[in-house]
Amino acid sequence: MTTDPPIRVRGLAKSYGPVEVLRGVDFDVARGSVFALLGANGAGKTTTVRILATLLRADAGTATVNGFDVATRAAGVRESISLTGQFAAVDDILSGQENLVLVARLRHLDDPGAVADDLLARFSLTDAAERRVSTYSGGMRRRLDIAMSLVGDPPVIFLDEPTAGLDPEGRVEVWRTVEELAEHGTTVLLTTQYLEEAERLADLIAILHEGRIIAHGTLTDLRRLFPPPTTEYVEKQPTLEDVFLAIVGGAKERG
Amino acid sequence: MTVHLLHDTAVLTARTLRHVTRSVDTIITTAVTPVAMMLMFVYVFGGAIDTGRTRYVDYLLPGILLITVASGVAYTALRLVVDRESGIFERFRSMPIARSGVLWAHVLTSVVANAISLAVVVGVALLMGFRSGAGVGAWLAVAGILLLFTLALTWIAVIPGLTATSVEGAGAFSYPLIFLPFLSSAFVPTATMPGPVRWFAEHQPVTPIVTALRDLLAERPVGGAIWTALGWCAGTLAVAYAFAVAAYRRRIG
């Protein structure tokens, strides 16, 4: 089991009525790496994450998380993961400290208070610990949200558009957190529609477009897919955005 | 797993109870409408209503208690919708916790919150001259019926809580529940009602529940009404629970 990748997805398909959201998605995420699922709105990113987090059943295909099949061994998956969705899932009426203690209790940890204080310090929320979350800024809520996901050190973390709706400062804060997670050896699956974010954080990037992975690799690999520069005097490295648009445009013409 | 269920339910109930204690206004609001109704009926209409030798406030209180619960359970629907919209429901569901614990926490919180509101209403009734010589046993029976009634109505409230698409829509189900006691013997004896209305009033669940509570509080021997009352409560509870769990499975997976 230790040699298996912590996330393995094969032929995942999901439809909502006549709308095919996922049409055979395959990928692996290596232990301790940051994997970015990049795509526009409606590409199927959230659907993929919800299936992996046992919140939704796939119509076809298999997915294992930390060696547990998401369809048949959901309890094992839930022991192994943590999910931060698109909207900060925090309790507004409780204080930051109480939110963390709540999750620590639900994860049956021995010293919930100490776990909470530790995370509050790590996410620079100690000063706001006693305040109700309804008084927090967007960035603080998101930080608390991610801190709640780290309670109990789950080996696999899903971050579904973790910087959506944040100001640039808040975004940089989240980026720093993700980098820290990677240093701690946590496996991170991140979804984003920001190319800059994938470029900065991810070891591997998969481009999800209309329910399929249309490109997959490191940033360098993806850059190689870009048509080589020809007539220009100064060779310009394509940004990931150029790569993305080139591939997506190509797929549309073929598709 | 059972140990988990109890532990997780306790932790989650502590959380929702904090929501209640931090918005005491919800308990007050729950008690205000029934208290206002009680004041109006006792001091305005009561004089014109013939309840025989029973003082009107004694006659009225059981119905007022049911109205209190009917308006109190709306907050359960509300709290569930807020949990769903905030995403914290999804967080709980992706965690290794007993799933039914999430619903039971809301239901137990409703029981506690309604018990407080009911105590407030009974307190006001005492100030208004309500008296009962009922013993501990009868009071326990009254509490038991009200508990069963609260559980039944709360599980009804869970259904819109899980299915409503807006906070505003989630509370609407409680209006017919609040209105039902008016079409029963809760405020006026059914004898003066015209035929069809009287038939409905005598065969709907509020009348036997009110009658049972009234008999217990007045130290009268409780007749068959108490079994009809318990039957209605238990039946409603079972049906509402089944629908709520089905809604949970379907909607939340």
Side-chain angles (χ1 to χ4, degrees):
Chain A
M1 199 176 91
T2 42
T3 51
D4 277 352
I7 303 176
R8 163 164 285 177
V9 177
R10 290 290 177 272
L12 214 56
K14 177 77 188 173
S15 303
Y16 292 104
V19 185
E20 287 181 278
V21 180
L22 299 179
R23 301 191 283 184
V25 171
D26 305 275
F27 62 86
D28 286 339
V29 181
R31 198 164 295 277
S33 68
V34 177
F35 183 92
L37 208 50
L38 177 68
N41 278 332
K45 305 187 298 286
T46 298
T47 303
T48 308
V49 168
R50 285 174 57 87
I51 291 170
L52 291 176
T54 75
L55 297 178
L56 197 66
R57 274 185 181 278
D59 297 336
T62 57
T64 56
V65 176
N66 210 25
F68 299 105
D69 189 295
V70 294
T72 57
R73 300 180 70 193
V77 174
R78 289 184 207 127
E79 293 280 353
S80 317
I81 62 154
S82 208
L83 166 68
T84 295
Q86 284 180 39
F87 307 99
V90 294
D91 189 321
D92 269 344
I93 294 167
L94 303 184
S95 70
Q97 210 257 354
E98 286 167 338
N99 265 288
L100 289 163
V101 167
L102 171 72
V103 176
R105 289 224 169 99
L106 290 172
R107 286 204 181 268
H108 311 107
L109 302 184
D110 285 335
D111 192 348
V115 172
D117 291 342
D118 195 46
L119 282 164
L120 286 165
R122 196 167 141 197
F123 285 86
S124 327
L125 289 167
T126 307
D127 292 340
E130 307 295 324
R131 265 167 47 203
R132 279 197 202 187
V133 173
S134 51
T135 66
Y136 283 20
S137 70
M140 289 164 80
R141 291 168 69 90
R142 184 55 76 169
R143 252 148 58 208
L144 176 65
D145 192 19
I146 296 175
M148 283 163 78
S149 292
L150 303 192
V151 171
D153 290 320
V156 178
I157 291 191
F158 300 117
L159 298 172
D160 189 15
E161 303 203 11
T163 58
L166 287 188
D167 56 22
E169 206 177 320
R171 189 177 294 182
V172 172
E173 278 174 14
V174 170
W175 286 352
R176 255 188 248 125
T177 310
V178 176
E179 282 161 354
E180 237 180 80
L181 281 178
E183 283 162 26
H184 278 70
T186 308
T187 306
V188 179
L189 171 64
L190 170 100
T191 76
T192 183
Q193 45 179 319
Y194 302 116
L195 304 152
E196 190 192 358
E197 190 162 289
E199 195 167 343
R200 167 154 174 182
L201 297 175
D203 300 311
L204 274 175
I205 299 162
I207 299 179
L208 186 62
H209 184 66
E210 292 177 353
R212 280 199 188 90
I213 305 268
I214 53 170
H216 181 262
T218 62
L219 183 57
T220 324
D221 295 339
L222 294 178
R223 278 201 171 119
R224 248 182 250 134
L225 298 173
F226 194 72
T230 45
T231 56
E232 276 169 59
Y233 293 104
V234 183
E235 188 181 297
K236 186 169 158 270
Q237 281 285 326
T239 65
L240 185 57
E241 183 160 8
D242 299 327
V243 178
F244 174 80
L245 293 174
I247 301 170
V248 166
K252 263 200 182 129
E253 277 162 30
R254 282 197 304 273
Chain B
M1 207 56 214
T2 326
V3 181
H4 269 202
L5 175 61
L6 293 180
H7 171 268
D8 296 346
T9 306
V11 171
L12 290 167
T13 307
R15 163 184 173 260
T16 26
L17 275 177
R18 253 187 209 144
H19 287 206
V20 173
T21 54
R22 283 181 194 175
S23 49
V24 181
D25 55 311
T26 59
I27 293 179
I28 304 296
T29 315
T30 306
V32 159
T33 317
V35 164
M37 267 184 215
M38 187 160 63
L39 289 170
M40 200 159 76
F41 271 88
V42 169
Y43 296 124
V44 181
F45 307 124
I49 298 170
D50 180 14
T51 51
R53 284 184 300 153
T54 313
R55 263 172 310 169
Y56 189 64
V57 64
D58 293 354
Y59 182 89
L60 180 71
L61 184 64
I64 292 291
L65 295 180
L66 300 192
I67 288 181
T68 308
V69 174
S71 58
V73 294
Y75 286 101
T76 299
L78 204 90
R79 282 191 283 263
L80 265 167
V81 174
V82 170
D83 268 12
R84 274 172 45 225
E85 286 185 344
S86 74
I88 201 145
F89 222 77
E90 297 257 288
R91 180 188 287 286
F92 292 151
R93 289 185 53 243
S94 71
M95 285 173 64
I97 56 177
R99 288 197 163 187
S100 59
V102 179
L103 289 187
W104 272 111
H106 279 280
V107 171
L108 293 177
T109 301
S110 163
V111 169
V112 174
N114 277 298
I116 300 171
S117 299
L118 287 170
V120 172
V121 173
V122 171
V124 175
L126 284 169
L127 292 177
M128 292 169 64
F130 161 73
R131 293 293 177 268
S132 165
V136 179
W139 272 106
L140 282 178
V142 168
I145 293 172
L146 287 173
L147 172 69
L148 203 59
F149 183 73
T150 307
L151 282 174
L153 260 52
T154 304
W155 279 108
I156 292 179
V158 168
I159 300 167
L162 288 171
T163 52
T165 46
S166 70
V167 173
E168 292 77 13
F173 79 95
S174 67
Y175 299 129
L177 294 180
I178 295 171
F179 192 68
L180 213 48
F182 288 98
L183 289 173
S184 79
S185 71
F187 293 92
V188 231
T190 51
T192 57
M193 297 177 187
V197 180
R198 179 174 174 179
W199 186 89
F200 178 80
E202 284 173 357
H203 291 88
Q204 64 121 320
V206 172
T207 297
I209 299 172
V210 163
T211 309
L213 293 176
R214 214 176 263 149
D215 288 346
L216 286 165
L217 291 173
E219 301 164 90
R220 278 193 297 265
V222 283
I226 192 164
W227 301 112
T228 319
L230 291 175
W232 272 111
C233 289
T236 310
L237 175 57
V239 172
Y241 180 81
F243 273 98
V245 169
Y248 189 52
R249 293 237 173 86
R250 195 180 56 241
R251 178 114 191 151
I252 322 280

